[in-house]
């Protein structure tokens, strides 16, 4: 079992729709969770971090964390073509290591 | 703030030669630096963790004699790919832990011909 799992996609949504990205993790001791966006050939850029169960909202983005079920999700409201990228879920492991899922490719169609 | 400068951004080298990649923390002290490798259409795979003034810790399956990591100061960590081969062609990214998360270098695209 991979430490962090995501559906690789591609996930295609029309412009203006809600994009829903999901991630599960295996280490129950994980405390910190991150969503990154990565454009082709570029390094990841942080979208959201979440540490407590529940929802965290930042603009069009909402991260949801359920530690009991070991999943993290990211909702993108009013999706724009510029949101088209690969979204990486990352989980903090002991020693401060950040472990990434395989990423979900999102395509927002105009 | 919390910027990591990574150089070079792109490098092409001949098979059998060595390549050094540098990551510098510009406005903070990076006690720990993480090195990742990313193959096309795949995620970032953690290669090793470097701590200033001590030996790096390598993830399982990563050859420590091939990927030499040096973290001699609080602002500089280097990764040297020794005796590079075409299968080492990849995107290498460094990352430093900061107070509220992590900051990443801009990445180095290595092509071995």
């Amino acid at each position: 079992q991979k430490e962090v799992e995501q559906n690789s996609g591609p996930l295609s949504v029309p412009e203006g729709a809600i994009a829903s990205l999901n991630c599960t993790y295996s280490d129950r001791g994980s405390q910190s969770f991150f969503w990154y966006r990565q454009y082709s050939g570029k390094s990841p850029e942080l979208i959201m971090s979440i540490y407590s169960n529940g929802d965290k909202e930042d603009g069009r983005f909402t991260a949801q964390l359920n530690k009991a079920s070991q999943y993290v999700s990211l909702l993108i409201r009013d999706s724009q073509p510029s949101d088209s990228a690969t979204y990486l879920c990352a989980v903090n492991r002991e020693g401060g290591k950040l472990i990434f899922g395989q990423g979900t490719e999102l395509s927002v169609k105009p | 703030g919390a910027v990591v400068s990574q150089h070079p951004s792109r490098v092409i080298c001949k098979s059998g030669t060595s390549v050094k990649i540098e990551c510098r923390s510009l406005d903070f002290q990076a006690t720990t630096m993480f090195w990742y490798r990313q193959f096309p259409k795949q995620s970032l795979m953690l290669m090793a963790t470097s701590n200033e003034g001590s030996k790096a810790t390598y993830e399982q399956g990563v050859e420590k004699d091939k990927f030499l990591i040096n973290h001699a100061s609080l602002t500089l960590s280097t990764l040297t790919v020794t005796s590079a081969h075409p299968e080492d062609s990849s995107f290498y990214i460094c990352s430093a832990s900061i107070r509220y998360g992590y900051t990443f270098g801009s990445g180095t695209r290595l092509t071995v011909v």
Side-chain angles (χ1 to χ4, degrees), chain A residues 5-108:
Chain A
E5 293 206 57
Q6 298 177 250
N7 290 326
S8 59
L11 173 66
S12 183
V13 301
E15 184 175 356
I18 296 176
S20 178
L21 305 162
N22 299 307
C23 170
T24 58
Y25 61 94
S26 61
D27 185 358
R28 282 195 172 275
S30 297
Q31 297 294 321
S32 305
F33 308 86
F34 305 85
W35 281 100
Y36 286 86
R37 177 172 61 194
Q38 186 180 30
Y39 294 108
S40 181
K42 305 294 184 182
S43 65
E45 53 180 320
L46 182 66
I47 300 294
M48 295 276 286
S49 60
I50 187 167
Y51 308 98
S52 305
N53 277 330
D55 295 359
K56 180 181 178 183
E57 187 175 319
D58 184 1
R60 296 187 294 114
F61 300 95
T62 299
Q64 299 172 316
L65 172 61
N66 184 321
K67 290 186 179 180
S69 300
Q70 295 174 243
Y71 87 78
V72 194
S73 65
L74 179 70
L75 298 177
I76 306 174
R77 290 181 298 281
D78 188 23
S79 296
Q80 301 297 308
S82 58
D83 294 327
S84 298
T86 296
Y87 288 80
L88 301 166
C89 171
V91 175
N92 184 283
R93 195 181 0 124
E94 51 89 17
K97 301 176 184 180
L98 195 60
I99 306 302
F100 287 85
Q102 65 265 44
T104 298
E105 184 181 349
L106 173 66
S107 176
V108 181

Side-chain angles (χ1 to χ4, degrees), chain B residues 27 29 34 37 40 42 50 55-58 63 69 78 90 103 109 113:
Chain B
D27 49 5
Q29 293 182 329
F34 303 97
R37 178 170 54 182
Q42 294 187 27
S50 75
K55 289 184 178 180
T57 304
Y58 291 81
E63 301 174 61
I69 291 173
T78 62
S90 188
T103 183
R109 172 73 60 191
V113 298

Side-chain angles (χ1 to χ4, degrees), chain B residues 53-111:
Chain B
S54 62
K55 289 184 178 180
T57 304
Y58 291 81
E59 295 298 304
Q60 190 174 9
V62 178
E63 301 174 61
K64 61 180 181 180
D65 294 331
K66 181 170 182 62
F67 299 99
L68 300 180
I69 291 173
N70 185 284
H71 197 154
S73 78
L74 286 170
T75 59
L76 176 64
S77 178
T78 62
L79 167 67
T80 301
V81 183
T82 63
S83 186
H85 288 95
E87 58 265 31
D88 298 323
S89 298
S90 188
F91 191 52
Y92 293 85
I93 308 174
C94 61
S95 173
S97 59
I98 56 178
R99 188 173 181 184
Y100 296 112
Y102 300 81
T103 183
F104 287 82
S106 54
T108 297
R109 172 73 60 191
L110 170 64
T111 302

